Amino acid sequence: MAVNIHNVRFISSKGNLPTPSGGVITLAANFTYFFTEVVDLTGDRFVCGANTTILGFSSENCRIKSTGLSAGTALITSEWSLPIRSITIEHGTALNLDATANSSQALDWFGVNFTDCATVGTIKSYDNVIMSDCGFINSQGLTFDGTIATVGFSNTIFDNRTSGTSIIVSATATISRRLRIIYSSFISLSGETALNVSTSASVPVEGYILDTINFSGGGTYNTGVQYNDNKSLFVNCKGVNNSGNIGQYYMTGNATATTIGAINTFVKVAGTTTVGSFTEKFTHTNNRLTYNGALTGFYKVTAIVTLTSGNNNLVQLRIAVNGTTSAPSTSQTTTSGAGKSENVSCSNIVSLSTNDYIEVFTANATGANNITVSEINVIVERLN
């Protein structure tokens, strides 16, 4: 028998729920349904109202399923905020959640398990989707689409299904703030895929965050957007490459002279440079690395050059940020009386924000004599 206490109904069987109509059980808006054990909807499904809440005592012994419902029909449909706690959902297709028609809707789930779901289903156009201490057990195919501000998972296990993909972010999805998965585990065996975030999906710079994730099972752990994309921030993960904030460029055999118009005047080193293979979060043009990351931080910049400038010229080298040289980075060398090449290096610690750029400048303290930097190797690496 149903018990109502301030818009709360305790559910121990299908008979405690609203009467089905055309295979649909409509759950009331602003109402809480508290499941106390396994409840079989026997071929019916839920359509939820605004702020319908689904609770259970524990996902270990409270479960919703529907024997006889088509595996391709979602067990739970909603276009509203839908809090869920401490319950297991079991069906061929679990979810069809689309808040496109209703702004500012949210999903806040804790202790929710999906078991034996061939397709977990689609979540579309919610403001925030937050899941904590959840489990996807022999389940796959949770797809995000539409415009979503934040998708967040924490302390969640994803135990994939044969040939399946645990999480999919579609090509038409827009994540306006972040996609963040922390302190979680993915188990994907051979032929299975953990994450597929489409390269066409809109995600902010460093907005695809994987932090302290363990990938295991020998399957494919990440397709689509990779660790070295500007969208990604992968840290402390096991089984995939972690993201870096590092840049390098170099030049060899350069014969283009840097024109020195006046004594003791620093000029950007001339020549054609090449970007290093492991550059991440930086873009390169000649003698310039531009920071494209989203997080301001401290960086160590090191430049090593080989140069000539006639006989007995005192030549100086500096690091420049946004075209302004830094006095603490100054180093110098005196060319020999025979005019042979000299090696000199300089370094500095700088703060970089989005679109700041690093260059190397040189000056002649002896006279307005041109300087030819034949070799250069510049490395920029994040410190914090």
Side-chain angles (χ1 to χ4, degrees), residues 7-8 18 26-33 47-53 80-81:
N7 289 342
V8 176
T26 301
L27 301 184
N30 302 306
F31 212 95
T32 297
Y33 297 86
V47 174
C48 302
N51 303 313
T52 298
T53 299
W80 305 97
S81 292

Side-chain angles (χ1 to χ4, degrees), residues 124-139:
K124 183 176 181 180
S125 296
Y126 277 78
D127 191 33
N128 292 301
V129 179
I130 304 297
M131 300 187 190
S132 301
D133 290 28
C134 295
F136 294 75
I137 311 303
N138 191 35
S139 297

Side-chain angles (χ1 to χ4, degrees), residues 53-123:
T53 299
I54 296 174
L55 304 180
F57 280 119
S58 169
S59 57
E60 296 301 319
N61 50 34
C62 299
R63 181 182 304 255
I64 303 170
K65 62 181 184 177
S66 187
T67 304
L69 180 65
S70 169
T73 300
L75 182 64
I76 299 175
T77 297
S78 182
E79 56 183 34
W80 305 97
S81 292
L82 178 64
I84 304 180
R85 303 280 192 279
S86 303
I87 200 163
T88 290
I89 299 168
E90 178 185 329
H91 187 58
T93 302
L95 306 172
N96 179 14
L97 308 179
D98 184 353
T100 302
N102 302 295
S103 62
S104 302
Q105 303 304 303
L107 303 176
D108 185 7
W109 296 357
F110 179 87
V112 179
N113 284 354
F114 295 86
T115 300
D116 300 329
C117 298
T119 304
V120 177
T122 298
I123 297 175

